[in-house]
Amino acid sequence: MSGLFKSSIGRKVAMALSAIFLMIFLLQHFAINILSVFSADRFNDVSHFMGTNFFVQFLLQPVLIFGVVFHFVMGFMLEIRNRNARTISYAKNNGSANTTWMSRNMIWSGLAILAFIVLHFIDFWIPEINTKYIQGDVSGLLPDGNFRYFEELQHKFENPIRVGAYVVAFVFLALHLLHGFASTFQSMGAGSMRRAKLQAFGKAYAIIIPLGFIFIALFHYFNH
Amino acid sequence: MNLTLKIWRQKDAKSKGKMVSYQVNDISEHMSFLEMMDVLNEQLINEGQEPIAFDHDCREGICGMCSMYINGEAHGPDRGVTTCQLHMRSFKDGDTITIEPFRAKAFPVIKDLVVDRSAFERIQQAGGFISVNTSGNTQDANAIPISKHAADEAMDSATCIGCGACVASCKNASAMLFVGAKVSQYALLPQGQIEATDRVKNMVAQMDLEGFGNCTNTGACEVECPKGISLENIARMNRELMKANL
């Protein structure tokens, strides 16, 4: 088993496994965020549960952080090895003749997503950790006795710069997923028949989920 | 037709190369690309210049020797053909054509457009074969039942001529389409099962050792392959390696 992950293909499989994990996480994140469009109370309840549940906070959250870091580190290592595999570039290379823009630029769409995740950490995760584990307030309540989650969410999306950054980041996520989804299953060895179906599903996932996140941001921007 | 050719010239493996422009006139559209190169070389020899070194052998699209990167694509703009099968009718009068060697660290340039593709040979030697006892008691291969589907698929994989267009086209200079095809042609047949585990492990290890890049599933290799080797071969190799390690 350890031999597998020493090989280039093994690292590809590891990359794909972390991608599957992150895509499942993204779906779950979307499912919770979209609640904020339909019901503030339901969004508050689920957010409070996710923010205070021991299993989510101390088991799933570290696994998620590991998954994100692992995916990026492996991606960078892959990029470095691949750049070293061709030390002299072509004078003329017609990449668009045989590949999509998305497939050729995974590192750049990935870096844009990484930049967003860093911002998201500063914007959301660090204040959450500060409130809950440094100030010790795990009540999830505002001074008026209501849950803080929905109000904080609406407050975040008042700033048009933040909303703009959010939209741009999710466009890059869509571009990343448009290649990444099908690529994941190719790396896992999915056969051509299965891959064709996954490709269609992947395209839908890559467009609907990021578009959904953009919708949530714009919805709150225009309805606060 | 009259053409301007921008060609990579490199004296030897150690020298630094550069792009040099040449003019060729009265090229027939019925010529193959290599015949056009022959015309240019004749012209250079008559002018007392060093002819351009390029690989070729059968000129029938079988041997996999020709290896030019033409206008930014391995084997030029046509699909399903090697450079020797590419015809000048694919270009227009007055065109400027850029001709470079296949670029990869694992395919070092020997001279001009000639690259050393012996890395592929070493990968084959690491496991791209089946061991058969030829003592006289060898079983007739035809006595082993093989389904038509498996035989066809194995034959499709075996059509890989090892030209290296997959490596040249891949933005990562990955050799996985080639190795995938060579692993697949045996993995699909009963004769290949006995050594399947060692084969895939050894061939992938040799591929990594040669310094090829890693596949990111862009699919450029499949598009540019003159023999239409599909990405399915890479998926099968991945499955074979996972199976061999689990």
Side-chain angles (χ1 to χ4, degrees):
Chain A
M1 188 74 178
S2 65
L4 175 66
F5 292 109
K6 276 183 194 149
S7 75
S8 54
I9 294 175
R11 287 195 291 270
K12 244 177 97 162
V13 170
M15 187 81 179
L17 285 171
S18 62
I20 290 172
F21 171 72
L22 293 176
M23 288 190 289
I24 293 169
F25 162 73
L26 194 69
L27 198 64
Q28 170 259 319
H29 196 331
F30 174 71
I32 293 173
N33 281 25
I34 197 77
L35 287 176
S36 68
V37 172
F38 301 110
S39 163
D41 288 344
R42 187 59 55 85
F43 177 75
N44 275 330
D45 290 344
V46 177
S47 297
H48 188 65
F49 170 79
M50 296 298 283
T52 53
N53 182 274
F54 181 84
F55 180 72
V56 173
Q57 287 294 300
F58 297 104
L59 201 74
L60 290 185
Q61 189 165 254
V63 170
L64 173 65
I65 293 168
F66 174 78
V68 171
V69 171
F70 180 84
H71 194 72
F72 278 107
V73 169
M74 290 297 282
F76 289 134
M77 281 167 59
L78 194 69
E79 183 68 17
I80 291 166
R81 183 183 164 91
N82 290 345
R83 280 176 188 253
N84 287 339
R86 178 172 291 129
T87 42
I88 302 173
S89 310
Y90 288 111
K92 185 174 181 179
N93 188 35
N94 190 5
S96 58
N98 48 39
T99 50
T100 61
W101 185 92
M102 286 77 81
S103 72
R104 293 194 304 276
N105 292 286
M106 288 298 274
I107 188 72
W108 300 113
S109 55
L111 278 170
I113 297 163
L114 178 63
F116 173 74
I117 290 174
V118 170
L119 276 176
H120 194 47
F121 257 62
I122 296 167
D123 213 24
F124 167 76
W125 194 76
I126 293 173
E128 272 293 307
I129 295 295
N130 179 40
T131 306
K132 286 187 295 199
Y133 305 118
I134 295 171
Q135 293 178 18
D137 177 12
V138 290
S139 69
L141 298 174
L142 292 167
D144 65 6
N146 289 321
F147 271 133
R148 62 183 167 87
Y149 308 104
F150 183 77
E151 200 165 308
E152 281 179 0
L153 177 91
Q154 277 206 318
H155 178 67
K156 295 273 183 207
F157 290 127
E158 280 169 10
N159 183 347
I161 295 169
R162 184 182 278 116
V163 173
Y166 212 84
V167 170
V168 170
F170 278 97
V171 168
F172 275 106
L173 179 67
L175 294 171
H176 200 73
L177 287 169
L178 275 169
H179 174 68
F181 193 99
S183 176
T184 297
F185 292 97
Q186 162 81 18
S187 292
M188 294 295 293
S192 54
M193 289 289 282
R194 197 168 294 160
R195 217 167 48 245
K197 286 176 193 157
L198 283 165
Q199 223 148 18
F201 180 76
K203 268 188 189 155
Y205 178 95
I207 293 167
I208 293 169
I209 301 294
L211 207 63
F213 275 105
I214 291 171
F215 168 74
I216 295 165
L218 294 176
F219 178 86
H220 291 296
Y221 177 69
F222 289 112
N223 289 289
H224 64 260
Chain B
M1 57 176 81
N2 300 331
L3 301 162
T4 305
L5 307 173
K6 285 185 174 173
I7 304 177
W8 182 261
R9 299 302 311 259
Q10 186 172 332
K11 196 175 164 215
D12 52 46
K14 286 178 185 159
S15 303
K16 214 175 158 202
K18 61 174 182 183
M19 298 299 287
V20 179
S21 290
Y22 299 97
Q23 186 69 35
V24 280
N25 298 329
D26 302 325
I27 296 295
S28 161
E29 62 173 17
H30 302 300
M31 278 180 184
S32 76
F33 199 85
L34 294 188
E35 283 168 340
M36 184 274 294
M37 292 296 290
D38 291 338
V39 169
L40 171 64
N41 271 350
E42 218 168 85
Q43 187 181 307
L44 291 175
I45 291 166
N46 288 339
E47 290 167 2
Q49 293 185 54
E50 179 82 8
I52 295 151
F54 61 90
D55 266 328
H56 61 97
D57 191 5
C58 74
R59 297 204 177 197
E60 292 180 319
I62 300 167
C63 72
M65 270 310 281
C66 50
S67 61
M68 294 176 193
Y69 206 74
I70 303 160
N71 275 351
E73 287 180 79
H75 298 303
D78 286 4
R79 296 286 170 256
V81 294
T82 51
T83 300
C84 63
Q85 297 170 300
L86 177 67
H87 283 80
M88 296 315 294
R89 67 182 76 99
S90 299
F91 301 91
K92 291 195 301 289
D93 182 39
D95 272 1
T96 296
I97 306 173
T98 307
I99 309 167
E100 296 171 81
F102 281 0
R103 295 272 187 218
K105 202 169 101 185
F107 285 172
V109 173
I110 298 170
K111 184 177 182 179
D112 296 334
L113 303 171
V114 178
V115 295
D116 178 0
R117 284 168 285 177
S118 57
F120 272 12
E121 300 299 325
R122 290 188 289 275
I123 294 170
Q124 280 283 67
Q125 286 160 12
F129 52 81
I130 51 168
S131 306
V132 177
N133 186 345
T134 53
S135 61
N137 298 319
T138 315
Q139 186 184 6
D140 185 343
N142 291 319
I144 304 168
I146 299 167
S147 74
K148 173 83 168 68
H149 180 68
D152 286 350
E153 275 200 299
M155 191 60 210
D156 286 346
S157 301
T159 55
C160 167
I161 53 176
C163 66
C166 46
V167 174
S169 310
C170 176
K171 78 177 189 67
N172 311 318
S174 167
M176 286 201 191
L177 193 69
F178 166 77
V179 184
K182 297 302 168 194
V183 165
S184 289
Q185 77 182 67
Y186 299 110
L188 286 158
L189 298 175
Q191 291 95 324
Q193 300 310 308
I194 298 163
E195 293 159 301
T197 302
D198 287 342
R199 176 180 304 113
V200 68
K201 280 185 179 176
N202 293 342
M203 289 180 84
V204 169
Q206 188 64 37
M207 173 182 79
D208 291 345
L209 203 66
E210 296 290 349
F212 289 105
N214 210 333
C215 171
T216 53
N217 306 318
T218 67
C221 53
E222 183 183 55
V223 176
E224 298 293 346
C225 174
K227 295 296 158 187
I229 303 293
S230 74
L231 288 180
E232 178 64 23
N233 289 277
I234 299 180
R236 189 179 295 107
M237 172 175 64
N238 295 355
R239 290 199 295 275
E240 285 289 310
L241 190 74
M242 283 190 263
K243 210 163 69 183
N245 279 286
L246 294 175

